[in-house]
Amino acid sequence: CDMREELRILARAYADGEITEPQLRRLESILQGDAAARQRYLEEMSLINALEEYSVSVGAPLPDRIHETNHIWIIYKMAAAMWLVIAAVVVFSNMSSRGPDFTRLQLLVMPAGIHFFLIWVLGRITAEVDHTCIKVGMGPFKSKTRIEDVQSIRTCTIRPIRDLWGWGWRRRFDGTRGFIGDGNEGFEFTRSDGKRTVVTASDPQRFVDFVRRMKTGKPLDNGDRREA
């Protein structure tokens, strides 16, 4: 990782014409001694060229990363409905001649608060793509895939119940993993080992374009879309 970062800095300095004499000597020593480093340097230069082409085509630089958080609102709704039922049971189970007893509701405040806090922390799906990897997570379930290990990526239509049996972190019998939040828009990517991951996103094309720029410099193909 340290070598990759150093090569990235040196490649950027060389492409900008701002490389110093010590940096140039360091670059030459690395490239002369390691075939893998030479290949990595060529990849970094290709990446820089792709970024520059993108900047020219859209009139703005490609961001360093793309990040999105997707809450699973249906879980909040189900939790709210559950606590309303519990509150109703508590209130009306000990009715007196005076009517419903609301004094016991205070006993529900702390457990309900803890429950919603845990949902807030653990029920969020985060997706992030930078120049090196795709990171997706929900609570303790996390996935990290290097850009060079991504074989293909495309947008897709997600039907949570039909395709992945619900919301949240899902896993099908065929090995497909899903990080499914609200909405039916998302992206899917397949790794070089054949494993597939489906992720809900409000603007999936952003993620697809970004990853493809990192890999090949090619934008999203028209009509390149499928169902999960």
Side-chain angles (χ1 to χ4, degrees):
C1 292
D2 292 339
M3 177 64 74
R4 288 184 176 182
E5 183 62 27
E6 184 178 13
L7 282 171
R8 183 176 295 112
I9 293 172
L10 293 174
R12 180 77 263 181
Y14 185 85
D16 292 341
E18 299 177 352
I19 192 167
T20 64
E21 189 65 29
Q23 285 179 319
L24 184 58
R25 288 197 299 269
R26 172 59 177 162
L27 179 59
E28 290 174 348
S29 67
I30 293 174
L31 299 182
Q32 290 173 359
D34 191 338
R38 285 196 296 272
Q39 180 61 33
R40 184 63 188 175
Y41 176 75
L42 292 175
E43 292 173 359
E44 291 297 336
M45 291 300 294
S46 298
L47 171 59
I48 290 171
N49 291 335
L51 294 176
E52 290 175 347
E53 290 174 7
Y54 180 90
S55 299
V56 171
S57 65
V58 303
L62 194 67
D64 292 334
R65 68 185 184 103
I66 295 176
H67 181 273
E68 182 175 307
T69 299
N70 192 317
H71 289 277
I72 310 174
W73 294 112
I74 190 171
I75 294 181
Y76 291 91
K77 295 173 183 177
M78 293 173 63
M82 181 191 75
W83 282 106
L84 284 175
V85 171
I86 293 174
V89 170
V90 169
V91 168
F92 292 101
S93 62
N94 294 302
M95 285 185 60
S96 63
S97 57
R98 300 177 183 177
D101 180 11
F102 292 96
T103 58
R104 294 192 176 187
L105 285 180
Q106 60 186 343
L107 301 176
L108 302 179
V109 173
M110 181 172 291
I114 293 174
H115 187 198
F116 279 103
F117 175 75
L118 291 176
I119 293 176
W120 178 263
V121 173
L122 302 178
R124 294 182 295 175
I125 294 172
T126 59
E128 180 178 316
V129 181
D130 58 24
H131 296 169
T132 60
C133 63
I134 302 174
K135 291 181 283 188
V136 188
M138 176 187 170
F141 304 105
K142 300 184 185 300
S143 169
K144 183 176 181 180
T145 304
R146 296 184 304 173
I147 293 294
E148 55 260 40
D149 292 335
V150 176
Q151 186 178 55
S152 64
I153 183 169
R154 66 180 71 201
T155 59
C156 64
T157 299
I158 301 172
R159 299 164 298 184
I161 299 295
R162 179 176 176 180
D163 297 327
L164 290 146
W165 312 323
W167 292 266
W169 182 82
R170 319 302 298 174
R171 190 179 184 92
R172 295 199 315 202
F173 292 128
D174 62 3
T176 298
R177 291 179 299 176
F179 293 84
I180 310 302
D182 281 3
N184 61 355
E185 299 292 321
F187 65 92
E188 67 167 61
F189 61 91
T190 304
R191 301 189 335 188
S192 54
D193 60 5
K195 293 182 179 179
R196 192 161 67 102
T197 303
V198 181
V199 185
T200 300
S202 61
D203 188 1
Q205 184 170 332
R206 247 186 349 144
F207 288 90
V208 173
D209 279 339
F210 191 99
V211 173
R212 287 189 173 175
R213 284 287 176 179
M214 294 302 98
K215 288 185 66 66
T216 64
K218 296 179 180 179
L220 179 67
D221 297 330
N222 291 330
D224 187 9
R225 183 184 188 85
R226 59 166 289 177
E227 293 182 345

